[in-house]
Amino acid sequence: MPSQRPRVLLILSGGIAAYKCLEVIRRLRQSGIDTRCVMTRAAEQFVTPLSLQALSEGKVYTDLFSLTDESEMGHIQLSRDADLLVVVPASADILARMAAGMANDLATTVLLATNKPVMVVPAMNVRMWENPATQDNMKTLERRGISVLGPVEGEMACNEFGFGRMVEPDEIVDAIKAGINTESDSKQSVLNLSLKGKRILVTSGPTVEPIDPVRFIANRSSGRQGHAIATALQQAGAEVLLVSGPVNIPDPDGVETIKVESAVDMLNACQKQLPVDASICAAAVADWRVASRGTDKIKKQDGTTPTLELTENPDILATLSQPGSDRPSLVVGFAAETENTVAHATAKRSRKGCDWILANDVSEGTGTFGGDKNRIHFITDGDVEDWPEMSKSDVAQELTRRIATHFDLATS
Ligand code: C5P
């Protein structure tokens, strides 16, 4: 009988951090997760197949052209027979080969042949990590939906300091568990979900609040998270209406995109789309606008500094959340916080009356604004789930799965 326990395929590439995989395997086993291992030739210089085999209690695969390996389990089956593939440590070399789609050893062949989610855990010297070649490769991999864990800043085996250090085994195990749960909750890509017939409103980007005809108040939102959500929902079959402030990214394919500037415009555009089945408010709406916007450019005058009087903007999320016949059956907001993220976001959920809040920490150094990554606390009525750090596209896909489940439950 096939094992019902979750299974991870660990792919070890060459790097001094490979020894930490022994601890990862030990903890995965303690958590009831089976592991199989594939090693590159370079990985074998750092840990022996024998020690991996002893800990994982399973065969360790190293050779693409081994007849014995292939007769036991072909490389295609190996690539599919796991819930999650984790490249750990992921060297600059294997990341480059993955980005290029190469299949010149067992590890890269398995990675190219898999239809399962893949996570990479980079570990390398800081200069290698910061090299534009590696950074471009990472962007390519993330764009293809591969999730990336780390690296972190710290001292490295080569005595240099900076980004490149592999995250610790504890964190790797947590991310693997979360990755497996996410997959087994729904096992499918958003392409297989059905939100057909659902009309979903998404807000995205910043709002821009004019001071006079040439100046404005804005914020750092890139619109990437909101646009990724619109894309994922559209791929899952929903009719998506995206209301977006000014952004420098393309409109998502196949999504009706309504462009607005100010918060007041955004609210009007949203209200025109009602009724909708769900509303996802990912826009970074300005809290205030200038109370009396001049029609002429404010002139600089010697010795005087103008004072801007501000007035509060309408809260779109709170407005859409108000009970009434037009209230979407699901209203979702975001909370970008710089401290006490979960506590503030939980309070915000009640105050605004929405159903779910995706909270993230945007304090300096997290790189959330404008970056590709997000670490979400998913807050619902009475529950908080900590999602591992994911690309914004993965957050969008995960949220889409939750939305699909919400509608499935509502109709069952
Ligand atoms: O209050 P705060 O701006 O932190 O709330 C964030 C959430 O509220 C986001 O979902 C954002 O889109 C929404 N929001 C809104 N209208 C505002 C302010 C925030 O829809 N005026």
Side-chain angles (χ1 to χ4, degrees), residues 87-98:
V87 186
V88 54
S91 64
D93 177 71
I94 200 162
L95 293 167
R97 289 189 290 140
M98 287 170 74

Side-chain angles (χ1 to χ4, degrees), residues 203-205 207 263 266-267 270 280-288 312-320 332-337 348 351-352 354 356-358:
T203 72
S204 182
T207 63
M266 188 173 270
L267 176 63
C270 288
I280 320 300
C281 294
V285 184
D287 290 320
W288 304 281
E312 205 166 317
N313 266 330
D315 191 310
I316 301 166
L317 176 63
T319 309
L320 295 171
V332 182
F334 275 75
E337 304 289 345
K348 190 167 288 179
R351 200 168 57 241
K352 301 212 183 201
C354 59
W356 302 344
I357 284 247
L358 281 76

Side-chain angles (χ1 to χ4, degrees), residues 211-215 290 292-301 305-308:
I211 298 171
D212 66 18
V214 294
R215 304 183 180 96
V290 177
S292 54
R293 182 205 147 166
T295 44
D296 294 320
K297 183 179 169 192
I298 302 171
K299 291 274 178 250
K300 194 166 148 187
Q301 283 173 350
T305 313
T307 306
L308 293 179

